[in-house]
Amino acid sequence: SQQGEEDPQALSIQEGENATMNCSYKTSINNLQWYRQNSGRGLVHLILIRSNEREKHSGRLRVTLDTSKKSSSLLITASRAADTASYFCATVPDRGSTLGRLYFGRGTQLTVWP
Amino acid sequence: DAGVTQSPTHLIKTRGQQVTLRCSPKSGHDTVSWYQQALGQGPQFIFQYYEEEERQRGNFPDRFSGHQFPNYSSELNVNALLLGDSALYLCASSRRSERVHVYEQYFGPGTRLTVT
C-alpha cells in the first residue's frame, strides 16, 4: 500500500505537554504532508516536507522525515485544548502519473485535556 | 479571498437514488480532486479533474463520475447509491499550472452524505 499509517491511533495528553505522532509509508515519495481535521470537518494543511528535507518547523509544529526508514513524525509542543483533532499524514509518491494525488493514513486522534 | 466551498453541507438519500455534490475551488486554482472519507478512516482518492478532463482515478466503481466546468468548479455524481456510500465527501483544489504549487492542496469543509 502507498498509504501512510499513523501511530498511535489515539493519544491523550494534558495541556502543556508535547504530542508526538508517527507516520510510516512503503513507497518512495516526492513529499509528505500533515493535515488536521476537527470533528469530521474539512482538512487543514499543516506542513509539507519534501523528500530531500529532514526537518521542518512551523510555529509549535516540528516535522521530521527519515526516507531511509520511510517514516515521519509530527511533534506539537506545549499543546493546547484547541489542538484536539485528528491528525493525518499524506504521501505524494515519486511518480508523475499520480501528480497531486494524496495517499492518507487512518489518522491519530489527539485529545488534549485542560 | 474565498477558499474551497462545497454544497450541500449535509444530504440524506435512499438506496438506489442518485446524488450530485458540488465544489468551487479556491480562487486561482485550476485542479479539483475528490476524496471519500468513511467514518473513522482517512480520505480515499476518488478522481481528479484538470482542464475539464478526468486525469487520475482511484479505485472507485463507474457509479462515481464527475465533471469540471470552464470556471474550474466541479461536480461529483454517484448513481445507484449503496449504504456503503455514506461518508464525508471532500473536495480539494490546487494549482497545477504552476508546478511549484502543484502539491499544495486546499480542502473544502466537505459534504456529509447519509444513505438510508
Side-chain angles (χ1 to χ4, degrees):
Chain A
S1 168
Q2 293 171 315
Q3 294 176 325
E5 291 297 334
E6 293 88 346
D7 173 64
Q9 291 187 5
L11 183 59
S12 185
I13 60 174
Q14 295 289 129
E15 265 191 333
E17 295 181 338
N18 295 341
T20 299
M21 288 160 269
N22 302 297
C23 171
S24 60
Y25 57 92
K26 295 185 177 179
T27 62
S28 61
I29 61 171
N30 176 285
N31 65 81
L32 183 146
Q33 304 177 33
W34 285 91
Y35 288 83
R36 185 185 73 210
Q37 185 176 42
N38 290 82
S39 300
R41 299 180 62 83
L43 294 162
V44 174
H45 184 267
L46 296 176
I47 201 163
L48 181 154
I49 186 165
R50 301 186 188 280
S51 60
N52 61 352
E53 298 176 310
R54 292 297 169 258
E55 187 171 313
K56 212 162 181 180
H57 295 256
S58 177
R60 294 185 295 113
L61 305 180
R62 172 178 170 253
V63 169
T64 61
L65 179 64
D66 187 335
T67 53
S68 66
K69 295 181 179 178
K70 292 186 169 58
S71 66
S72 173
S73 67
L74 170 66
L75 169 66
I76 304 174
T77 59
S79 61
R80 307 164 182 168
D83 294 328
T84 295
S86 292
Y87 291 82
F88 295 89
C89 72
T91 56
V92 177
D94 192 17
R95 286 191 287 122
S97 62
T98 62
L99 191 66
R101 173 177 177 173
L102 298 173
Y103 291 82
F104 286 89
R106 293 187 176 184
T108 292
Q109 173 60 50
L110 173 66
T111 302
V112 182
W113 298 99
Chain B
D1 178 23
V4 180
T5 60
Q6 292 186 243
S7 64
T9 305
H10 296 88
L11 203 52
I12 299 175
K13 290 286 189 178
T14 304
R15 275 180 299 176
Q17 287 188 318
Q18 178 264 345
V19 68
T20 297
L21 310 181
R22 296 176 176 82
C23 170
S24 290
K26 181 179 168 64
S27 178
H29 284 187
D30 54 18
T31 302
V32 173
S33 301
W34 287 92
Y35 290 81
Q36 180 196 64
Q37 186 179 21
L39 197 62
Q41 303 293 317
Q44 298 292 313
F45 178 81
I46 302 175
F47 43 52
Q48 182 184 86
Y49 277 84
Y50 172 64
E51 292 186 334
E52 301 179 49
E53 289 189 16
E54 183 182 293
R55 299 293 177 168
Q56 299 182 58
R57 189 178 183 91
N59 189 25
F60 280 81
D62 292 344
R63 298 187 297 108
F64 289 77
S65 63
H67 189 77
Q68 185 179 35
F69 299 94
N71 67 352
Y72 307 118
S73 66
S74 177
E75 287 182 350
L76 163 65
N77 300 292
V78 186
N79 295 321
L81 284 167
L82 304 173
L83 295 179
D85 294 332
S86 294
L88 180 69
Y89 287 85
L90 296 162
C91 166
S93 74
S94 56
R95 188 164 49 184
R96 186 169 176 151
S97 53
E98 291 190 34
R99 193 171 183 86
V100 68
H101 297 294
V102 70
Y103 297 116
E104 298 175 4
Q105 299 209 27
Y106 293 79
F107 281 80
T111 294
R112 174 73 63 185
L113 172 64
T114 302
V115 182
T116 62

